[in-house]
Each structure stands twice: as structure tokens, then as C-alpha cells.
Amino acid sequence: MKLTNIFVPELKDRHAERSLVSTFVDVKELPEIEMKLLNDVVAATVKFKFYYNKSSKAPIHKKDIKKTSILKTLEIVTRVISGPSDLVYEAAAKQASKISLSLSTQFNNEWQKSLMHLLNKPSKNKTILNLGLYKNNHYGIFDIEHPKNLLQRLMSENDIQKKDLAILAGVNEATLYRHLSGETEISRDIAVKYAKVLGCDPAKILFNDLVIPVWGSTDPLEQSSIERLSVYASEITANENLGVIECPREIYRPDVKAIKVDSPNSHLHGQVAFYYNSNEPIVLEDQMVIVGTNLKNLVGGEIRQRYFIGTYKKNRNGRTVDIHSIDPAVIDISGLTPDEDMNSYEDFVGLEEGQRIVIDDITPTFVAPLVALINPSDVYSDKKIDIQKAYNEIYTQSRTDEVKALKIFKNNQMKSIIEEQLEDNIDDYVDQMNHQKIKALIMADKKLQSVISTAAYGKAKYEKKIDIKEEAKKIKADLSAKEELIVREAVDRLQEQMDIPGPDDEDYINRP
């Protein structure tokens, strides 16, 4: 299979290509991407549409496209790139980047979605997914795209040229060319160098994203119906047009599944819920879950398997299960006012509990734990690239703030214990005087102040990475042995000073 790159209709003038203007700059039209699996090779076709002014060789300006006089002279020309997917991607990605950086990013996303959608379809004989046939490899989802394509994609998204990447990464330009051609494998060290410039995790250069289908959606607030089938609020309905989603590597497992919250009136709108497949009705009291149960349709009475998202609650009868909504907005008691005859406190509690229930008294066929609920637009935001590029300074500042917060908390904790121990034996009539004196003495105790902040931590190492023990990151109520010794010594020292009458002590003691 060879790569073909043609215009339809054909451009007779070889210079005419320079006068083409993409429809993306006008109507934001994305290129069409088609893919199919031929044996173990993915064949792809990408179509870019352009405006072409056949009456003039001069380029068309965006501002002139909508002018009536210009529109009459324009026709649509389609650039069709087809062949093996790896070759098609290289040519199409280059075309997208020439048109617009924004289009380049969107094209990369659509390409990834199209490829994963194809590979997650059943094979012709339905015995295996296309993923198992692709490349005839044994690594499955981990080996869908070659590192050379991943690197090329990241360069395109960052609008960075080969020469610039080589200089900024401190890599020989010839080496970069060999990496982009696939002639040389990208090593771990080189991946880190490229990643610092491109603002990404080095893993994104060596391994493709772990992308899975979003098989269904749910609305936690509104009931609906689909083709005469009743749909509860928080019920999950299947939809094969929801595309795919990148699964965080930390939670990926071969049995992970994803659904989307589609509810414009909910604060959860756009969130994607990940859960692990289950075939057992396990008990997960008070946890967010996906459950399956057999229910009758309201119309026709047919029993079918139905799916819900919610919080697992054991029913009062002890045998069945209730599912509560994960969205607090389902509770609405506005407009109700208590009076002597009705709407008592118990009535309000009962109403609130009733509104919280999605469905009650069911017998689950399976219960699956929800492991993550994320907003893709936040997690995979473009801001992530900028933050990654500033990794060193942001990481150091973040960890420095942690150390400062821990020290402040520990200092206040130790001072509070000292005050409490010293004030235990204070008489009421001098309480205020001694309280102020204790504070003054603590602040004046230079020995205590000099060791209080370094008792548990030693000197912080403010380098690119800060060496902090895991135990020191956790705020605990109990003091360490060293801190307790400092407190005891400070209490004894301050108690001795408290026993020495100050210039105003006699006035307070002899006061009638």
C-alpha cells in the first residue's frame, strides 16, 4: 500500500496550491478522518477542504471570503491523503500545522480518537477486538503508536521546529532526525530532555496515551425517555457516539470502564467517571458505585438490565439496596415553611431523604466501585503544558510552601501545649495576668525559638527537589520524642521564671 496525496478536482496549475485557503479559517471545519483495518495494517484517509479562486492566482484573504463578489468565484477543492496510517499521519499533521496551530491540536485529538474507535471495534468474526489484530503484537493498548509519531505530534502541538527543539533540548540535530524517522530508538534520557522543552511527561514520548471508549452517559438530575423507554435520573444509557477518553495511567486496568455525566444544570456536567468491571453484587456501603439491576419497563413490562450511578445504601429491610444520588442539587425544599399542623422538622428530614434516593429496594446483579471522577477539560488543559515547562520553579515553590505550613503548624502546636501545661496550676484571680506573661516569656525564650522550628526537620534543602521525609509531610496531633523533650525543657525553664515575682506581681497578689 502506497501513500497517495491528490486534489479533487485536480489543480491544473502547480502554483494554484499557494492560493488555497482552508475552510477551517472561516467555518472551523475539521478534516474528515476515515480508518479501516486491512489484515494487521490500518489504512487511513484524511480530507482537507479549501476555498479556491479559479479566476485568480492571487491568494484569498480571510476577510474577503464572505463577500458576495468573491463567493461567486470560489469553489471547494479537497486534498485527499490516503495510505498506511503512519505515512498518512505524517503528511496530514504537516498540512494541519501549516493551516493553524489550533487545527493541528484538534487534528491530533481527532486522529487519536478515530484510531482508538477503530481498534476497540470487534473484528470481523467477533472473536476479538481489532486491537488484538493490529500490528500482531502482544502489548495491546500500550503499543498502538510509535514514539516517532508521538514526538512529531507533540512538536506540532507546541508549534516548534526541529532545529529549535534540538537546540533547546541539547540534542544533536542529526540525532533528532533519526528519532523522527524511526531509525533510532528514543532513549529514556533523551525522552526526559525532549519532555522538558515540550512541557509533557516523558512517558508521553515513549508510550501512547491509554485511551478507552466512553460507553454511556447519565443525567443525575432529570428523568427522560429514549424511544419509549423510561430513563431514571442517574440511570446510565448506552451510546456508541460518545467517543473515547484518555484514562489516567495511575488507574488504568484492562477492565476499566468510563461513562460521562451529561447534565447542563448539574455541577458535575462534563465529568467522566471511571470504574472497574464487576460481575458480583459486592457490598460497598456508603461508596460511589455503578450498579446493574433487572427492572421492568414502564411501558410493555419487559424486564431488562439497567445501570445506575450513585451511593450504595443498604435498604432498611436488610435484604435489598437503595441507590442515592451523587449530586446534592437533587434536594430542593425551597418554598416549604414549617407550621403547627404540617411541615415539621421530621417532615423536612423525610422529604430530603426521599429526594436523595435514585431508586430503592433493588437487587443488584453487580456492584462496581467508582475509582475516579474527573473533568477532562481541567486535567488535560493546555495550561498543563505551560506548568510542566516551568516544572523546576513550580515544584520547588510548591514544596517550599508545604515546609512552611508544616513549621507554622508545629510551632503553634508546641506553644499551645506549653501554655496549657503552665496554666493548669494558675489561680483564677491572676489568670489573665499570667496568661499574658506566659506568652511574653515564650516569645522571649530564645533557646526555645531557635530550636522549635528545626526540632523535627533539620535544615531544609531548597534545591530542584526538596528532601522531606514522608513522615514530616503528615500533620500529626502527637509530638515527636525530640519535640516533647523541647516542650518539657521549655516548661521547666518558664515555670522557674513564672515563680519569680515581677514588678507588678505584688500589686495583683495583694489586691482585695
Side-chain angles (χ1 to χ4, degrees), residues 230-276:
S230 61
V231 179
Y232 286 84
S234 293
E235 183 175 355
I236 304 167
T237 55
N239 189 335
E240 63 178 8
N241 298 319
L242 294 174
V244 294
I245 183 70
E246 180 181 344
C247 179
R249 294 183 184 274
E250 294 80 5
I251 65 172
Y252 176 78
R253 284 183 0 189
D255 62 339
V256 69
K257 294 177 178 288
I259 63 162
K260 185 177 183 180
V261 178
D262 184 8
S263 180
N265 296 321
S266 171
H267 73 284
L268 296 174
H269 180 62
Q271 303 268 352
V272 174
F274 294 92
Y275 68 97
Y276 296 137

Side-chain angles (χ1 to χ4, degrees), residues 18 81 110 123 134 136 170 236 273 338 395 413 428 448 460 481 512:
R18 299 177 183 176
I81 306 171
E110 291 303 316
S123 58
Y134 181 53
N136 197 26
I236 304 167
Y395 182 90
Q413 183 185 23
D428 292 339
L448 174 63

Side-chain angles (χ1 to χ4, degrees), residues 16-236:
E17 185 179 342
R18 299 177 183 176
S19 65
L20 299 178
V21 174
S22 171
T23 56
F24 180 80
V25 303
D26 177 31
V27 293
K28 302 301 179 185
E29 185 175 15
L30 296 176
E32 297 178 18
I33 302 174
E34 300 174 0
M35 293 185 181
K36 57 183 178 180
L37 192 66
L38 301 178
N39 296 323
D40 61 344
V41 177
V42 172
T45 300
V46 180
K47 299 177 181 179
F48 291 89
K49 291 186 178 181
F50 299 89
Y51 294 113
Y52 174 50
N53 188 350
K54 57 186 177 182
S55 65
S56 173
K57 294 182 181 180
I60 310 166
H61 296 288
K62 179 182 177 182
K63 62 181 180 180
D64 296 330
I65 288 176
K66 293 186 178 180
K67 290 182 178 179
T68 305
S69 58
I70 297 292
L71 282 174
K72 292 179 180 179
T73 65
L74 296 182
E75 66 174 299
I76 299 295
V77 173
T78 304
R79 183 172 192 172
V80 182
I81 306 171
S82 59
S85 60
D86 56 343
L87 298 179
V88 170
Y89 174 76
E90 290 180 17
K94 185 179 295 184
Q95 175 64 78
S97 64
K98 286 182 180 180
I99 296 171
S100 161
L101 178 60
S102 174
L103 175 60
S104 178
T105 301
Q106 293 183 60
F107 169 74
N108 286 334
N109 291 337
E110 291 303 316
W111 177 273
Q112 178 78 352
K113 290 178 182 178
S114 299
L115 179 59
M116 287 305 304
H117 187 67
L118 170 68
L119 297 182
N120 278 288
K121 284 184 175 181
S123 58
K124 289 183 179 180
N125 60 10
K126 311 294 184 183
T127 60
I128 191 173
L129 292 180
N130 286 333
L131 179 62
L133 303 176
Y134 181 53
K135 291 185 178 181
N136 197 26
N137 67 74
H138 301 289
Y139 297 103
I141 196 172
F142 296 100
D143 187 28
I144 292 174
E145 294 190 77
H146 194 280
K148 67 176 183 178
N149 291 337
L150 300 176
L151 180 57
Q152 181 65 59
R153 178 180 303 166
L154 290 165
M155 290 175 61
S156 175
E157 291 177 354
N158 281 268
D159 193 24
I160 188 170
Q161 301 301 315
K162 299 181 182 70
K163 182 178 180 180
D164 296 329
L165 176 59
I167 293 173
L168 294 173
V171 175
N172 186 282
E173 193 171 346
T175 301
L176 173 59
Y177 273 91
R178 288 196 293 272
H179 289 156
L180 290 171
S181 67
E183 181 183 344
T184 303
E185 291 290 333
I186 301 174
S187 68
R188 179 174 176 268
D189 290 341
I190 296 296
V192 172
K193 291 181 179 180
Y194 288 150
K196 287 182 178 179
V197 179
L198 298 171
C200 68
D201 186 328
K204 293 182 75 70
I205 296 173
L206 299 174
F207 302 98
N208 54 260
D209 295 332
L210 303 178
V211 181
I212 63 173
V214 180
W215 75 266
S217 63
T218 185
D219 186 339
L221 297 182
E222 302 292 338
Q223 295 186 10
S224 62
S225 62
I226 300 177
E227 297 179 353
R228 300 186 67 205
L229 294 177
S230 61
V231 179
Y232 286 84
S234 293
E235 183 175 355
I236 304 167

